[in-house]
Amino acid sequence: DPEAHDQMRISTIARKYTHKDSVKGFKNCKDAGCTTGISCVLGPHNTSRITEVTNYLCSLSPSNLGMNILHSQHRTGFQHSLATASKAIIKAAEAAAQNSIEIEQVSRILRSLIFEVPRRAECPACGGRLVVTPSGKYGPCEGAYPFCHSWLFDNINDAYLHSMRLKKWAFQKRKACLNCASYGMCGSGCALNAFLDYENYSGFDNRTCALAKAVFSNAISLLLNELSTVEEVCKISIEKKNEIGRARVGKECRSRWSPYH
C-alpha cells in the first residue's frame, strides 16, 4: 500500500515516490487485458500491518498475489526475520482468502500437500526457464538480473548448462532433507537465495525452508481443528483436504499439477 511502498521504492532518477506510478502501470496492463498479479516483499516496513496491506492489494483485484521473503541480505543490508516474515505470509493468505485471492507461494506448498504429489523444484529456473535480459544476455532466472553476473551468459547453450546445474542442486538438496516433515512440498527452494547466502552451490535456501515449514504446520493445525485424531488426518481424502484448504487459498486448489507448482 502507499505507506509501505513509498518507504522502500523511491526513483533514484526522478527522486520521487513511485506508488502512484506503480498503480498506474498495473491498471494499464489490466485494462489491456493482461493477466495481472501483484508481488509484495516482506520486511519490517510491512509485516506488522500485513493484513491491512493485503486487503489493500486485494482491492486492486489482481489475479493472484505473491508474498516474497527478500533475496540475500548480503547485497542489501536490509535485515529481517525469516520466522516473522513466514508468519506474516500465513496471515496474508488468511486475509487474501477472504477475497477469494490466493497467495502463490502458499498455494504451491498446499497444492503439494492436498494432492499428495511432491514438487520437483520451487520454480522453473531449475531446468525449465530461459530469460533474456534487455542487454541480450541469457540465463535461467530473472532474479539474477542485473546483479548476479555469473548467472548471465552470452549464448543460450551456456544458460542451458547452468539451468541443468540448478536442477542438480535442487535434487541434491531434496536428498539432504529426507527427515524434514515438509519434505516434498518446498521443491528445495530458490537456488539463487542459496547461492547468494553461501556463495557456492552447497547451501540451502533458508527462506523457502522457513515458509514451507510454517505453511505445513499451519495446514496440519487446520486439519486437526476439523478432525479428532492424527489417525484421521493421515486418512483424510483429497476432497476433504481441498475443502479445508480453502481457508488459506480462498478457492479450491487447482487439480492440474505441474512438476514445479
Side-chain angles (χ1 to χ4, degrees), residues 20-34 36:
K20 289 183 178 179
D21 290 341
S22 297
V23 172
K24 181 181 178 181
F26 172 81
K27 290 183 175 178
N28 285 344
C29 290
K30 196 173 182 65
D31 291 343
C34 299
T36 51

Side-chain angles (χ1 to χ4, degrees), residues 6 56 87 127 220 226 256:
D6 285 341
Y56 168 77
K87 291 177 182 177
I220 293 300
E226 294 284 332
R256 187 173 66 181

Side-chain angles (χ1 to χ4, degrees), residues 173-191:
K173 295 302 103 177
R174 286 176 61 79
K175 288 176 66 177
C177 297
L178 282 169
N179 293 323
C180 178
S182 55
Y183 172 79
M185 283 176 266
C186 73
S188 302
C190 171

Side-chain angles (χ1 to χ4, degrees), residues 131-139 145 152-156:
V131 172
V132 184
T133 74
S135 59
K137 297 282 188 177
Y138 301 95
Y145 180 79
L152 302 171
F153 305 89
D154 292 323
N155 64 78
I156 291 177

Side-chain angles (χ1 to χ4, degrees), residues 43-92:
H45 65 300
N46 61 12
T47 48
S48 64
R49 301 174 47 251
I50 195 61
T51 298
E52 181 182 348
V53 170
T54 303
N55 286 334
Y56 168 77
L57 297 177
C58 288
S59 74
L60 298 175
S61 300
S63 58
N64 63 13
L65 293 176
M67 290 286 171
N68 302 280
I69 302 175
L70 189 73
H71 282 307
S72 176
Q73 298 180 55
H74 293 302
R75 72 180 181 90
T76 63
F78 179 73
Q79 302 297 311
H80 63 289
S81 162
L82 300 183
T84 300
S86 296
K87 291 177 182 177
I89 292 174
I90 298 295
K91 288 185 67 175

